[in-house]
Amino acid sequence: MAARIRFFKHRCNALINMNSTSVIALRECLSRSYHVQKDFSSKQVRKTFTDFFHELYQHRIVKSSPVRPRGDTSLLFVNAGMNQFKPIFLGAADPRSEMVTYRRVVNSQKCVRAGGKHNDLEDVGRDVYHHTFFEMLGNWSFGDYFKEEACGMAWRLLTEEYRIPPERLYVSYFAGDAISGLPADEETRHIWLSIGVPADHLLPFGMRDNFWEMGETGPCGPCTEIHYDHIGGRNAALLVNADSPDVVEIWNLVFMQYNREADHSLRSLPHFSVDTGMGLERLVSVLQGQRSNYDTDLFTPLLSAIQQCANCPKYRGRTGEADVGKVDMAYRVVADHVRTLSVCIADGVYPGMSGAELVLRRILRRAVRFSSEVLQAPEGSLAGLVPTVAHILGDTYPELHKETDRIMDVINENEAQFLSSLKQGRRVIDRTLQRLEGSNSVFPAPVAWSLHRNLGFPLDLIGLMLEEKGMCIDQQSIDELASANEKLKRQTQSSGRETLFHLDLHTLAQLQADKVPQTDDFLKYHYSLGPDDKYVFQPCHATVQALYCGQALVSEVAEGQRCGVVLDRTCFYAEQGGQSHDQGYFIKDGLQDVMYPVEAVHLAGGYVVHQVTTADVLTKGDQVQLYVDEHLGPSVEQRGSHVAADRLRFDFSVKGSLSTTQLQEIEKSIRNIITEDSAVYIEEVSLARVKDIPGLRTVEEVYPDPVRVVSVAVPISDLFVSQTVRPTSVELCCGTHLRRTGEIGDLVIVSERQMVKGISRIIAVTGDDARQAQEAGQALAQEVESLMARLAAVTSPCLASTYRLAKEVGVLTDAVDCTPIPQWQRRELQTHLKSLQRTTNTIIRKLETKEAAVKAQSLKQKNGNKTVVVDTVDTDSISVLMKTVNQYSGKAPGSVVMLLSHQRHSGKVLCACQVPKGLSALSANDWALAVCAYLGGNAGGSSTVAKGTGNVADLAVAIRYAETFAKDKIQHQC
């Protein structure tokens, strides 16, 4: 290699005056000579990484968590490898879970960066390295090894296992920060020098590049990054962290040694940790000698599959202006987005209307638009790529193989829905552009916002569609509209959300150092059903072990302060496993008349923290008696469901809505279970044994060991017997449960509807609410029957009476839509009411047409052959007024006609007008707008027909104004 380097240096000196084409050729030659081995497939790269740390350095291989974060509301998606280990970094891992045993860990984590703080969505496709879905290779040390070992392992893996030439690598380290009082990380610098990294390849950088923080607060620390030079044969130090596509970061090693406090100060952590992250896609591009991630085997099969179904040229990897028609950009968008869609849907995240689901909906619609409009691929092509995604990633993430059909169904259903909206949206955009007629290059923000809000168009997609036509969005106005919308949403949300007192890392460490035992909360499961059908909780007497106030442990809390109380034992259920906390209170021994309400209960590191606003002084060591409210807390939420004391919500995948018969069968089945009054069995079972329960559905959670198994009607021991054939409901759940099914009382499904394509939601009520729903349903059914009978008895209908019947149908329809009644019955009543609505509408239309004909004939006789006709009609109906105008125009096709009416019940003036087609001098819309504005109102319509309203005024004056306006317009043209 040294001889080869000398040869190329000689060539460089000899050819120093060559033209630019020759220099480029030389550069490519140099680049080729330094390329690393190309025999690494992406599967080998991933496996080499995990095997290296597992076999050589005893790291535990932990499989990737789903892309939906576990119990972390701060994230839409898992966006980094460390997300699933946050409980360890925060010292809040369940002491009974396997996670607390982790010391050295390695994995490849599925990540999505779209929406929220880390959002790469709008950049995907424009270049050759941004992605919404990617895999993060990482190794972790939790209080085990630190800087020296981490750096040594990383260097050995890159240079020996992956055989990357060391001279291509550059390393950055933390240069210190005077404002934060942080010194330079000289320790890391010396470690790299001792490993053999040349001093001119070792570069210091500040807080922005080389200090990593989890968030506004929490664990943080200096990091050291390893960068790769794609070109080689030079010193590229100046290009490190300079946004150069030639020198890219490939690995970040974070040394967690501080905690960022709420006051922004830094405190040293009690235990140091290591968190590293290396993007698989970028690493594979390096090892396969490619400058673009899309030219690796993670993407090339997808690009080939796209080309086979698309009506467009082959992918050529172009960007910017060179990418004529944005064809290559479309290839990259579709390839990236179908990976994201496949992984997310397999993990249970579906396109929807809020949160992560809304982001996924944007991704799907962006992919559909590029696939259908730019690549000219037929409908269904996007879903057709899913098997290719499963082929590429399925060995590592087998859920992609298992869920292929379901993923394709969801994509197809959502694509069909969006293509319809896409056509409508393009028509809106085209009409708006025609109206602007090139006078303005800025697209109106209200129109763009309407497309976004009403048709579900992502704003970035609207921007791309306009960019193709040389237009842009008024971004400032869009931001104002978005801000106003967000403000409105916040106003509609509950403002009284509770604030939990989360113990921080240092407090948890101090409790452990002081040998404060973890809270015994076993009594939360000790309750029974009393003779009055109310649950009875065993008395719980406890000692105050710690008080947490003002982000510190204190010995005493004064009256009126909000604090966290840690007891030695408790009967309160802490928020976990999808179920909300219990509510109740405790009293202090010797102070029996003062209650301390428990507002929230939180579990951290085995300690149960009771959030309390003190009604009197509370001191460490006080003895207290605990009392839990007799029913569950305000809500019990699980992924895809919501359970409260008297109702439940359940989301499930299904094609279309359930039929009326299916809804009745479900209710009947559940009522049979309630009638049987079966026992509910609960038992703690080891995780290893739980796997032997046939048909048990588990979710991607970190379960404690042992875990609570809940079974209806079948004892837990019988679940392990293969001969057990009796149907049962069995789950792993740490929540509280009824003792017998009969205690439910009754159940009624009051709602069933599709939330998004392929996902339906059931809402049901129980007990007294179920009985009330049945009674309400019977009452509404009787009203519908009565209305049907009255309408059938009408032989000679008149317009006034039919209006009244139609109004009754509307009122009854609203009642049926909004009242909690059995959903199957709601569907039946809605069908009857729609039939009644059609019948009354038909009768009204015929009667209105008949009345309009009489009025038009009378007006024609009165006005003769006038060219401009403005008159009044005695009617309270805008529909009759419009029909009268239309019939008059039919009798006098050359006339322009406007009719006004004083609506008695509202005091408004109704206005309707019509002008002949082809009369360019006068627009019906302009005419109605002018007259209604004169009357203090508004109007709208087309160039030939319009209607509107105004306030009470002298109609005679209004008529003269209308006549003058029309005549002036017509005469002006002449």
Side-chain angles (χ1 to χ4, degrees):
M1 178 63 75
R4 185 176 296 178
I5 293 173
R6 286 194 298 273
F7 167 75
F8 281 118
K9 284 184 177 178
H10 173 74
R11 292 284 292 167
C12 287
N13 291 330
L15 300 174
I16 197 147
N17 294 317
M18 290 176 63
N19 61 31
S20 58
T21 303
S22 299
V23 172
I24 293 172
L26 174 62
R27 180 176 173 178
E28 290 176 350
C29 185
L30 277 168
S31 179
R32 285 195 299 271
S33 72
Y34 276 89
H35 272 161
V36 294
Q37 300 294 327
K38 296 185 180 181
D39 56 351
F40 277 107
S41 69
S42 57
K43 293 179 181 178
Q44 289 173 315
V45 174
R46 189 190 296 110
K47 187 174 187 300
T48 297
F49 185 89
T50 54
D51 286 353
F52 174 82
F53 286 100
H54 175 62
E55 295 173 4
L56 297 182
Y57 296 102
Q58 296 75 53
H59 286 59
R60 182 198 299 248
I61 298 177
V62 175
K63 72 174 185 175
S64 170
S65 69
V67 293
R68 182 191 291 272
R70 298 167 175 161
D72 189 346
T73 57
S74 67
L75 296 174
L76 291 174
F77 298 99
V78 166
N79 60 17
M82 55 76 61
N83 288 162
Q84 70 167 308
F85 305 117
K86 279 177 72 172
I88 302 178
F89 288 123
L90 296 172
D94 189 327
R96 298 172 300 164
S97 70
E98 187 180 28
M99 187 177 284
V100 297
T101 67
Y102 292 172
R103 291 296 176 266
R104 299 183 175 203
V105 166
V106 63
N107 84 341
S108 180
Q109 172 65 48
K110 297 176 291 186
C111 298
V112 174
R113 287 189 179 172
K117 179 182 177 182
H118 299 288
N119 183 9
D120 290 341
L121 178 56
E122 294 184 21
D123 293 320
V124 170
R126 297 181 185 274
D127 53 40
V128 294
Y129 49 85
H130 273 101
H131 305 290
T132 51
F133 165 75
F134 64 97
E135 295 178 70
M136 185 67 84
L137 303 172
N139 62 289
W140 288 267
S141 164
F142 304 113
D144 193 330
Y145 61 82
F146 202 43
K147 295 180 180 180
E148 184 173 3
E149 296 90 338
C151 294
M153 294 174 193
W155 194 256
R156 178 179 175 184
L157 175 62
L158 293 177
T159 60
E160 297 181 19
E161 300 296 323
Y162 289 140
R163 304 192 295 281
I164 297 177
E167 61 270 19
R168 290 284 191 98
L169 299 177
Y170 295 79
V171 180
S172 65
Y173 67 96
F174 182 51
D177 184 72
I179 296 176
S180 302
L182 292 171
D185 190 1
E186 289 295 322
E187 179 186 2
T188 297
R189 177 176 175 274
H190 287 297
I191 290 170
W192 285 120
L193 288 172
S194 67
I195 288 173
V197 177
D200 60 352
H201 282 223
L202 194 53
L203 311 165
F205 288 91
M207 294 284 288
R208 186 175 70 89
D209 295 304
N210 279 84
F211 194 89
W212 190 91
E213 304 198 44
M214 183 182 295
E216 294 296 325
T217 60
C220 56
C223 62
T224 183
E225 296 177 335
I226 302 174
H227 302 253
Y228 174 77
D229 178 17
H230 278 287
I231 304 299
R234 60 179 183 169
N235 189 312
L238 293 177
L239 297 179
V240 172
N241 284 336
D243 294 326
S244 168
D246 295 334
V247 180
V248 295
E249 174 210 333
I250 58 173
W251 204 348
N252 186 13
L253 284 62
V254 180
F255 305 127
M256 299 281 201
Q257 61 188 92
Y258 301 107
N259 190 70
R260 178 72 73 180
E261 303 294 321
D263 61 1
H264 303 297
S265 63
L266 292 169
R267 291 177 63 187
S268 182
L269 289 171
H271 304 289
F272 292 173
S273 297
V274 174
D275 164 17
T276 85
M278 178 159 57
L280 175 69
E281 290 76 11
R282 184 170 290 181
L283 177 62
V284 171
S285 72
V286 167
L287 296 180
Q288 293 183 1
Q290 303 294 342
R291 300 294 296 275
S292 165
N293 295 353
Y294 292 90
D295 291 335
T296 68
D297 65 351
L298 286 167
F299 289 93
T300 50
L302 270 173
L303 297 174
S304 297
I306 293 169
Q307 201 274 327
Q308 290 173 16
C309 65
N311 183 23
C312 64
K314 187 177 180 181
Y315 178 72
R316 295 173 59 187
R318 298 164 301 181
T319 60
E321 294 181 0
D323 183 17
V324 179
K326 299 188 183 298
V327 172
D328 289 345
M329 176 180 178
Y331 267 103
R332 291 187 290 269
V333 167
V334 173
D336 171 87
H337 288 8
V338 76
R339 285 171 23 117
T340 305
L341 290 165
S342 299
V343 169
C344 287
I345 294 170
D347 280 350
V349 183
Y350 296 88
M353 296 304 293
S354 64
E357 289 77 7
L358 178 59
V359 174
L360 195 65
R361 184 171 180 250
R362 290 181 59 201
I363 292 172
L364 187 143
R365 293 188 161 202
R366 194 168 187 258
V368 169
R369 191 258 166 170
F370 276 98
S371 176
S372 63
E373 293 201 343
V374 181
L375 298 177
Q376 298 293 305
E379 185 174 342
S381 299
L382 188 62
L385 300 173
V386 174
T388 306
V389 176
H391 172 74
I392 298 170
L393 301 175
D395 289 351
T396 306
Y397 310 113
E399 61 271 16
L400 290 170
H401 286 306
K402 180 181 177 183
E403 303 292 346
T404 294
D405 290 342
R406 180 163 62 91
I407 296 167
M408 293 177 69
D409 287 345
V410 172
I411 292 176
N412 276 329
E413 289 168 355
N414 281 272
E415 178 183 32
Q417 184 184 49
F418 179 55
L419 284 175
S420 175
S421 298
L422 188 62
K423 292 176 184 176
Q424 185 179 352
R426 183 162 291 286
R427 286 196 297 269
V428 171
I429 290 175
D430 289 342
R431 283 200 305 268
T432 305
L433 294 178
Q434 289 172 6
R435 193 171 69 248
L436 293 173
E437 296 179 348
S439 61
N440 195 342
S441 63
V442 180
F443 193 79
V447 179
W449 185 252
S450 175
L451 286 169
H452 174 62
R453 292 285 298 158
N454 300 330
L455 291 182
F457 269 63
L459 289 171
D460 61 323
L461 179 54
I462 298 171
L464 281 170
M465 294 170 74
L466 293 173
E467 185 181 308
E468 295 168 0
K469 297 181 178 292
M471 299 283 290
C472 63
I473 302 178
D474 181 356
Q475 192 59 50
Q476 182 177 349
S477 297
I478 285 289
D479 292 342
E480 290 172 359
L481 289 167
S483 177
N485 181 69
E486 187 62 31
K487 182 179 180 181
L488 182 63
K489 284 169 61 177
R490 286 197 300 267
Q491 288 174 347
T492 60
Q493 293 171 348
S494 171
S495 60
R497 292 181 178 175
E498 61 201 19
T499 302
L500 287 171
F501 273 76
H502 293 273
L503 299 183
D504 59 47
L505 273 170
H506 295 287
T507 303
L508 285 168
Q510 186 176 338
L511 289 172
Q512 293 161 0
D514 294 344
K515 301 191 183 307
V516 176
Q518 294 168 345
T519 308
D520 178 4
D521 62 350
F522 193 67
L523 282 175
K524 67 188 179 186
Y525 298 128
H526 282 222
Y527 53 88
S528 58
L529 192 66
D532 56 354
D533 290 333
K534 292 185 177 181
Y535 278 95
V536 177
F537 293 85
Q538 289 190 7
C540 179
H541 195 262
T543 302
V544 176
Q545 295 195 111
L547 295 168
Y548 183 65
C549 187
Q551 296 186 314
L553 293 175
V554 296
S555 59
E556 184 176 279
V557 178
E559 178 184 344
Q561 288 188 281
R562 178 171 285 186
C563 65
V565 182
V566 177
L567 305 171
D568 63 336
R569 62 203 307 254
T570 185
C571 55
F572 279 79
Y573 185 90
E575 184 169 353
Q576 59 177 319
Q579 180 173 320
S580 181
H581 57 79
D582 280 333
Q583 290 182 325
Y585 62 94
F586 60 75
I587 58 176
K588 190 167 67 171
D589 287 3
L591 203 64
Q592 306 298 322
D593 57 340
V594 176
M595 292 192 300
Y596 295 78
V598 177
E599 301 159 358
V601 189
H602 176 64
L603 183 65
Y607 297 102
V608 177
V609 185
H610 306 72
Q611 182 175 304
V612 171
T613 299
T614 55
D616 202 295
V617 176
L618 195 60
T619 306
K620 182 179 176 181
D622 280 347
Q623 303 293 305
V624 295
Q625 186 76 31
L626 280 63
Y627 297 90
V628 178
D629 286 351
E630 65 185 29
H631 56 76
L632 298 176
S635 64
V636 182
E637 291 192 2
Q638 291 185 356
R639 176 176 163 184
S641 66
H642 172 102
V643 183
D646 55 355
R647 63 176 49 230
L648 65 89
R649 184 192 74 214
F650 179 66
D651 296 346
F652 58 99
S653 57
V654 66
K655 286 188 176 181
S657 293
L658 298 178
S659 66
T660 299
T661 301
Q662 288 173 317
L663 288 167
Q664 289 173 313
E665 288 174 351
I666 292 171
E667 280 192 5
K668 180 181 178 182
S669 176
I670 294 173
R671 287 201 183 100
N672 288 340
I673 294 172
I674 293 172
T675 303
E676 289 172 1
D677 193 26
S678 301
V680 178
Y681 298 94
I682 303 173
E683 187 177 316
E684 287 196 338
V685 180
S686 69
L687 277 175
R689 195 169 178 228
V690 157
K691 298 175 182 177
D692 297 330
I693 299 177
L696 176 65
R697 177 185 175 273
T698 60
V699 296
E700 293 288 348
E701 288 290 347
V702 178
Y703 293 101
D705 193 5
V707 65
R708 294 178 81 239
V709 180
V710 183
S711 172
V712 177
V714 177
I716 305 299
S717 58
D718 292 354
L719 296 175
F720 297 96
V721 181
S722 59
Q723 288 79 12
T724 301
V725 294
R726 184 178 179 183
T728 184
S729 168
V730 59
E731 65 173 338
L732 307 181
C733 184
C734 61
T736 51
H737 293 263
L738 299 169
R739 294 306 189 195
R740 305 193 68 85
T741 60
E743 296 162 17
I744 297 171
D746 201 353
L747 180 139
V748 169
I749 297 172
V750 295
S751 174
E752 189 275 331
R753 63 190 179 95
Q754 282 218 314
M755 302 302 296
V756 294
K757 284 288 186 179
I759 302 294
S760 280
R761 169 172 292 176
I762 277 179
I763 295 177
V765 294
T766 58
D768 289 341
D769 286 351
R771 176 182 54 77
Q772 292 171 9
Q774 290 170 327
E775 292 174 354
Q778 292 170 358
L780 287 171
Q782 291 173 359
E783 290 190 45
V784 172
E785 286 181 25
S786 172
L787 189 57
M788 292 172 68
R790 282 190 287 138
L791 186 58
V794 175
T795 55
S796 301
C798 69
L799 199 51
S801 63
T802 310
Y803 278 152
R804 287 193 293 271
L805 284 172
K807 185 175 182 180
E808 284 189 58
V809 172
V811 171
L812 201 49
T813 298
D814 288 342
V816 169
D817 290 346
C818 300
T819 306
I821 63 174
Q823 181 66 7
W824 64 264
Q825 191 174 35
R826 190 191 317 278
R827 297 257 180 89
E828 289 185 347
L829 295 180
Q830 285 171 336
T831 300
H832 292 318
L833 287 167
K834 285 178 181 177
S835 177
L836 285 174
Q837 191 175 49
R838 285 193 296 269
T839 301
T840 55
N841 286 347
T842 300
I843 295 172
I844 287 171
R845 188 166 55 252
K846 290 179 179 179
L847 291 173
E848 285 181 344
T849 302
K850 183 178 179 181
E851 183 174 324
V854 173
K855 294 181 183 296
Q857 181 62 34
S858 174
L859 287 167
K860 184 67 175 67
Q861 292 174 356
K862 174 183 175 183
N863 289 283
N865 296 321
K866 287 183 179 180
T867 303
V868 177
V869 177
V870 181
D871 211 331
T872 60
V873 174
D874 182 20
T875 181
D876 281 346
S877 168
I878 188 66
S879 179
V880 171
L881 195 65
M882 290 288 290
K883 286 181 172 67
T884 304
V885 167
N886 182 260
Q887 294 209 26
Y888 191 105
S889 297
K891 296 176 183 294
S895 300
V896 295
V897 183
M898 175 176 283
L899 299 178
L900 303 173
S901 173
H902 181 206
Q903 194 176 44
R904 287 181 291 272
H905 69 272
S906 70
K908 297 283 186 180
V909 174
L910 306 180
C911 171
C913 66
Q914 186 167 332
V915 303
K917 289 183 179 179
L919 182 63
S920 58
L922 179 64
S923 162
N925 183 61
D926 293 345
W927 194 15
L929 271 172
V931 174
C932 290
Y934 180 79
L935 292 170
N938 203 353
S942 66
S943 60
T944 56
V945 180
K947 62 181 179 178
T949 60
N951 297 317
V952 175
D954 188 337
L955 287 185
V957 176
I959 289 172
R960 287 196 297 272
Y961 177 82
E963 286 177 338
T964 302
F965 183 92
K967 288 177 180 178
D968 285 349
K969 290 286 185 181
I970 296 171
Q971 289 171 0
H972 181 71
Q973 185 186 39
C974 296

